[in-house]
């Protein structure tokens, strides 16, 4: 089984890379993609945890924003982690996530809820990418809400009055950066409309022209209709179709391998990288 999109404690997942590899093996996964938000810091630990029977697809989920302000996530897989342009863009996003968090906290404080940056940072592992889930964890600890999910539905979703965006590259730039770093790009959960606004067909066209390799079709956040539309789009433009769990440990309901990628599609995707960078256990 091939699951190309997961998170660890190096961003907003709750399992370490070692735990992720062990759980993936137990779940019958043979190819696992590690795609922490805007970071490659978990790769080394994941490599060290590999054993025969499981291979690692090193990657990252790049936070992006379109010119008209729509949040888009681009999965970069099999790129060179030493590529300075891509590494610099991710570092800038990680840094800007801190200023953005201060702004979200200020808005929440204005509503009379007592929470500080220190409370949030206490929820973050060393060197991890900061995100709203860490704020959610801090709100749970304070007793404001009872779970990450409740924090998102009540307070932290993209349409909330507390929402603030952070610096991110455009998805076109991210796709080009991933490609020049030798990797392949897949747009993550492109139709997850309940999260906020989703991109138009015109934007899709622009991403394809920028070199997009694949579309994440099978994902928990897509309805059957949305999947049908994405399959049509992938066929029309000859894009690779993937499926993945977007596993976050116990931070989300998503289970490892709940959606996966067909081996033929994975073969096509891997062929589009400039080198074979899959790491065998
Ligand atoms: P941020 O990166 O700070 O914009 O936060 C977005 C992250 O929050 C996404 O990557 C999701 O994994 C997570 N998220 C979104 N909705 C929920 C939810 N309902 N429950 C738990 N995590 C969520
Ligand atoms: Zn996440
Ligand atoms: Fe995402
Ligand atoms: Fe994700």
């Amino acid at each position: 089984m091939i699951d190309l999109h997961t998170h660890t404690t190096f961003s907003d997942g709750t399992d370490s890379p070692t735990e992720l590899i062990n759980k993936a093996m137990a779940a019958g996964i043979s190819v696992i993609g590690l795609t922490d938000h805007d970071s490659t810091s978990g790769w080394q630990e994941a490599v060290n945890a590999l054993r025969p029977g499981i291979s690692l697809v090193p990657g990252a989920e790049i936070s992006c924003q379109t010119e008209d302000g729509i949040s888009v996530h681009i999965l970069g897989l099999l790129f060179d982690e030493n590529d300075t342009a891509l590494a610099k863009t991710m570092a800038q996003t990680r840094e800007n996530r801190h200023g953005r968090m201060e702004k979200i906290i200020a808005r929440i404080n204005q509503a009379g809820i007592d929470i500080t940056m220190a409370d949030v940072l206490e929820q973050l592992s060393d060197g991890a990418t900061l995100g709203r889930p860490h704020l959610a964890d801090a709100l749970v600890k304070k007793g404001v809400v009872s779970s990450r999910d409740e924090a998102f539905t009540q307070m932290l979703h993209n349409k909330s009055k507390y929402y603030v965006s952070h610096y991110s590259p455009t998805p076109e730039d991210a796709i080009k950066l991933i490609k020049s770093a030798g990797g392949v790009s897949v747009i993550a959960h492109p139709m997850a409309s309940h999260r906020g606004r989703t991109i138009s067909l015109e934007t899709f066209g622009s991403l394809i022209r920028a070199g997009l390799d694949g579309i994440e079709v099978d994902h928990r956040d897509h309805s059957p209709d949305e999947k049908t539309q994405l399959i049509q789009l992938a066929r029309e433009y000859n894009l690779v179709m993937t499926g993945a769990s977007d596993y976050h440990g116990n931070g989300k309901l998503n289970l490892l391998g709940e959606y996966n990628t067909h081996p033929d599609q994975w073969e096509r995707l891997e062929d589009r990288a400039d080198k074979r960078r899959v790491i065998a256990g």
Side-chain angles (χ1 to χ4, degrees):
M1 193 155 59
I2 302 165
D3 186 346
L4 297 175
H5 177 177
T6 67
H7 299 267
T8 72
T9 45
F10 281 89
S11 61
D12 55 4
T14 60
D15 287 340
S16 68
T18 306
E19 287 165 334
L20 172 75
I21 298 294
N22 291 341
K23 289 181 185 181
M25 276 208 85
I29 292 168
S30 52
V31 179
I32 181 95
L34 170 57
T35 54
D36 275 311
H37 297 285
D38 309 302
S39 173
T40 60
S41 302
W43 290 11
Q44 193 54 56
E45 186 185 324
V47 170
N48 295 342
L50 290 174
R51 277 170 291 146
I54 189 159
S55 302
L56 178 73
V57 177
E61 184 172 13
I62 313 292
S63 313
C64 304
Q65 211 169 330
T66 63
E67 306 279 2
D68 45 353
I70 299 174
S71 161
V72 175
H73 289 173
I74 300 286
L75 297 168
L77 304 172
L78 303 174
F79 59 83
D80 173 9
E81 66 178 315
N82 295 316
D83 180 271
T84 45
L86 182 53
K88 240 171 126 174
T89 295
M90 287 192 277
Q92 194 180 347
T93 302
R94 289 197 304 273
E95 189 185 313
N96 278 265
R97 281 168 165 276
H98 284 255
R100 174 251 203 162
M101 184 61 73
E102 303 264 16
K103 290 183 193 157
I104 298 178
I105 289 171
R107 290 187 183 192
I108 291 178
N109 290 157
Q110 267 169 17
I113 298 163
D114 169 43
I115 193 103
T116 65
M117 189 68 174
D119 295 330
V120 177
L121 294 179
E122 202 184 285
Q123 302 299 323
L124 187 70
S125 306
D126 280 349
T129 307
L130 178 63
R132 280 174 285 166
H134 303 107
L135 171 56
D137 292 347
L139 290 165
V140 170
K141 192 170 178 209
K142 286 253 167 193
V144 178
V145 288
S146 66
S147 67
R148 271 193 185 184
D149 194 53
E150 194 182 307
F152 270 90
T153 26
Q154 294 190 0
M155 304 174 66
L156 303 182
H157 56 87
N158 289 25
K159 292 167 192 158
S160 151
K161 62 179 175 184
Y162 307 124
Y163 181 74
V164 178
S165 65
H166 54 80
Y167 158 82
S168 325
T170 64
E172 288 87 349
D173 282 349
I175 289 165
K176 289 175 194 163
L177 283 165
I178 291 162
K179 191 152 296 274
S180 60
V184 293
S185 58
V186 176
I187 182 166
H189 47 70
M191 294 273 193
S193 52
H194 70 90
R195 294 186 182 208
R197 282 196 299 154
T198 57
I199 59 167
S200 63
L201 267 181
E202 290 74 59
T203 303
F204 242 115
S206 164
L207 303 192
I208 293 166
R209 284 193 296 280
L212 184 71
D213 296 291
I215 300 182
E216 189 175 61
V217 173
D218 277 324
H219 185 284
R220 170 183 284 256
D221 293 352
H222 291 155
S223 69
D225 273 358
E226 290 169 343
K227 287 185 193 182
T228 306
Q229 288 177 52
L230 291 172
I231 292 169
Q232 279 171 358
L233 202 64
R235 289 209 177 118
E236 190 173 342
Y237 294 98
N238 199 27
L239 298 172
V240 175
M241 287 182 270
T242 70
S245 63
D246 201 357
Y247 176 73
H248 279 72
N250 60 25
K252 268 180 141 183
L253 298 173
N254 312 31
L255 299 174
L256 271 170
E258 65 174 22
Y259 292 103
N260 48 74
T261 300
H262 193 282
D264 294 346
Q265 297 293 317
W266 167 235
E267 196 179 309
R268 276 182 66 203
L269 192 60
E270 195 193 354
D271 271 352
R272 294 170 80 127
D274 75 339
K275 273 191 205 151
R276 294 187 73 81
R277 288 199 181 84
V278 177
I279 304 155

